[in-house]
């Protein structure tokens, strides 16, 4: 297959692209290499992909509608996996137009490219953030998701509605994946595993929001990629061609227990500074993965202690030495 992966220099994008390259597929990776976080990490991820002769990188900003249209004019793709987006709940309070440009205008540009090609398998990243402060657990795909508590969540819900309309109008098999707190090697520096590990190793205190009364459905990257791979091979083929699927571990962990796992992997105790809940944040996420399991057999297998150790080993064994080169 020839696969287009947008956001290929991002965390999930890099790992998804690697999986399909390893399986012998051709992958075109698109990214704008923005400066939301340290660009050296994006180049690190790209270097891993560029070791494979079946990978081609395209530097492109999704806001450039003409460039995106030209991309789809030049080459046909068997599958489009759209993972590029402006991420982060808290940053959406500081830079809302970045989310409008990337997550709405950019998403529209990709939809138009997919429509022009009559793509037969379009997969895109949604988010567990669409569930807002839902108190019913576990979160199920049929739950109401019309009360977002952040602009980021609102853009992801908008993506689902936009994709639904295109799937209906143009008969495009489409799957939206609601990712739940993904972590692992080469992860994002703005997320808890990285922030806590970096702070503990540097002897700085960590900020623990909502006084630690938070639960997250932490999902290791390999389990996420397994789910994406299975969805690629199980595109919707009849009836409603648009579907949304949770993709998580299905077993929330308290933030304090997660910090304990990091402390165990690092071998040092954290100094904790308790803080109030941040605007746009939610106290709990909890994925029901029954629908994805029924469709594909998806079963996450990496326990939190194991996944955290793999992240810390990567951070100390690969990332820190990389920065010193």
């Amino acid at each position: 297959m020839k696969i287009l992966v947008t956001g290929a220099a991002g965390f999930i994008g890099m790992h998804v692209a690697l999986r399909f390259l390893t399986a012998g597929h051709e992958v075109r990776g698109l990214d704008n290499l923005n400066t939301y976080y340290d660009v050296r990490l994006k180049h690190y991820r790209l270097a891993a992909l560029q070791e494979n002769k079946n990978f081609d990188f395209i530097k492109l900003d999704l806001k450039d509608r003409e460039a995106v249209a030209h991309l789809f004019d030049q080459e046909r793709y068997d599958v489009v996996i759209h993972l590029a987006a402006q991420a982060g709940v808290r940053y959406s309070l500081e830079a809302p137009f970045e989310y409008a440009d990337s997550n709405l205008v950019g998403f529209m540009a990709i939809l138009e490219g997919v429509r022009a090609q009559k793509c037969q398998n379009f997969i895109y990243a949604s988010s567990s953030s669409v569930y807002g402060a839902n108190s019913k657990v576990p979160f199920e795909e049929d739950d109401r998701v019309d009360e977002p508590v952040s602009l980021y969540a609102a853009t992801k819900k908008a993506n689902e509605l936009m994709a639904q309309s295109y799937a209906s109008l143009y008969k495009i098999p489409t799957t939206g994946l609601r990712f739940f707190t993904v972590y692992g090697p080469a992860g994002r520096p703005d997320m808890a595993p990285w922030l806590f590990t970096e702070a503990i190793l540097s002897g700085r205190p960590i900020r623990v929001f909502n006084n630690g009364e938070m639960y997250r459905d932490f999902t290791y990257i390999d389990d996420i990629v397994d789910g994406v791979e299975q969805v690629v091979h199980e595109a919707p083929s009849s009836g409603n061609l648009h579907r949304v699927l949770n993709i998580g571990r299905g077993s929330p962990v308290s933030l304090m227990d997660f910090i304990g796992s990091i402390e165990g992997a690092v071998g040092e105790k954290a100094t904790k500074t308790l803080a109030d809940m941040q605007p746009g944040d939610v106290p709990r996420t909890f994925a029901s993965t029954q629908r994805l399991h029924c469709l594909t057999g998806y079963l996450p297998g990496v326990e939190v202690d194991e996944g955290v150790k793999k992240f810390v080993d990567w951070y100390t064994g690969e990332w820190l030495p990389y920065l010193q080169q």
Side-chain angles (χ1 to χ4, degrees):
M1 289 189 295
K2 184 178 291 184
I3 302 170
L4 175 66
V5 177
T6 73
F11 173 36
I12 299 175
M14 176 266 248
H15 285 277
V16 167
L18 271 178
R19 175 68 61 87
F20 286 103
L21 288 168
T22 301
H25 300 288
E26 291 183 65
V27 176
R28 303 292 181 265
L30 181 154
D31 206 287
N32 68 351
L33 300 177
N34 69 21
T35 56
Y36 171 57
Y37 55 76
D38 193 340
V39 177
R40 289 176 296 179
L41 179 57
K42 300 182 181 185
H43 286 292
Y44 168 89
R45 296 178 185 135
L46 273 182
L49 297 173
Q50 288 169 329
E51 292 178 1
N52 191 298
K53 60 182 176 59
N54 287 327
F55 178 77
D56 284 325
F57 175 61
I58 305 159
K59 186 178 180 183
L60 190 155
D61 196 312
L62 297 180
K63 298 193 298 288
D64 188 340
R65 290 181 289 173
E66 291 184 1
V68 175
H70 181 69
L71 172 74
F72 281 94
D73 284 342
Q74 291 293 105
E75 196 168 28
R76 295 196 62 83
Y77 304 104
D78 298 301
V79 182
V80 174
I81 305 175
H82 178 49
L83 303 174
Q86 179 56 58
V89 168
R90 292 165 191 154
Y91 186 59
S92 67
L93 302 175
E94 303 172 23
F97 286 102
E98 294 294 326
Y99 292 77
D101 288 342
S102 181
N103 299 5
L104 299 178
V105 174
F107 192 82
M108 187 72 245
I110 292 293
L111 278 178
E112 274 293 282
V114 165
R115 177 195 62 79
Q117 283 206 354
K118 297 181 173 62
C119 180
Q120 290 306 297
N121 199 353
F122 175 52
I123 297 162
Y124 67 94
S126 185
S127 169
S128 63
S129 295
V130 301
Y131 289 105
N134 190 359
S135 60
K136 170 189 163 293
V137 292
F139 298 168
E140 297 180 301
E141 291 90 343
D142 292 331
D143 291 345
R144 284 186 58 186
V145 289
D146 54 0
E147 296 182 0
V149 297
S150 69
L151 176 64
Y152 170 70
T155 64
K156 287 300 183 178
K157 177 56 183 173
N159 289 169
E160 294 181 0
L161 294 172
M162 294 161 74
Q164 169 72 64
S165 68
Y166 265 60
S168 176
L169 285 168
Y170 305 114
K171 310 307 176 190
I172 301 167
T174 300
T175 303
L177 295 174
R178 292 174 176 171
F179 294 113
F180 279 72
T181 318
V182 189
Y183 73 101
R188 279 177 27 210
D190 61 329
M191 294 187 71
W194 187 300
L195 292 170
F196 293 164
T197 299
E198 183 178 60
I200 293 169
L201 288 170
S202 301
R204 292 183 280 107
I206 63 173
R207 296 182 72 196
V208 182
F209 293 110
N210 203 34
N211 299 309
E213 292 296 317
M214 299 178 75
Y215 293 80
R216 288 290 181 269
D217 201 341
F218 290 102
T219 312
Y220 189 69
I221 184 61
D222 288 358
D223 287 333
I224 290 289
V225 175
D226 286 347
V228 173
E229 184 177 29
Q230 289 161 7
V231 166
V232 164
H233 296 297
E234 295 286 347
S237 58
S238 61
N240 183 0
L241 292 179
H242 177 262
R243 64 190 180 192
V244 292
L245 300 170
N246 290 337
I247 180 165
R249 184 166 168 265
S251 181
V253 174
S254 78
L255 184 57
M256 288 302 195
D257 286 345
F258 191 77
I259 293 170
S261 293
I262 295 175
E263 290 172 328
V266 171
E268 295 183 35
K269 286 289 185 181
T271 301
K272 304 176 186 70
T273 301
L274 300 183
D276 294 335
M277 179 80 83
Q278 291 287 285
D281 220 338
V282 297
R284 178 188 296 266
T285 63
F286 184 175
S288 167
T289 59
Q290 182 176 4
R291 182 174 294 183
L292 181 58
H293 173 72
C294 289
L295 285 169
T296 69
Y298 171 78
L299 283 173
V302 180
E303 297 295 333
V304 167
D305 283 346
E306 177 189 357
V308 166
K309 185 177 186 308
K310 288 181 177 181
F311 169 74
V312 171
D313 286 349
W314 169 83
Y315 183 88
T316 57
E318 290 193 40
W319 179 243
L320 293 182
Y322 176 82
L323 293 179
Q324 296 166 0
Q325 293 177 1

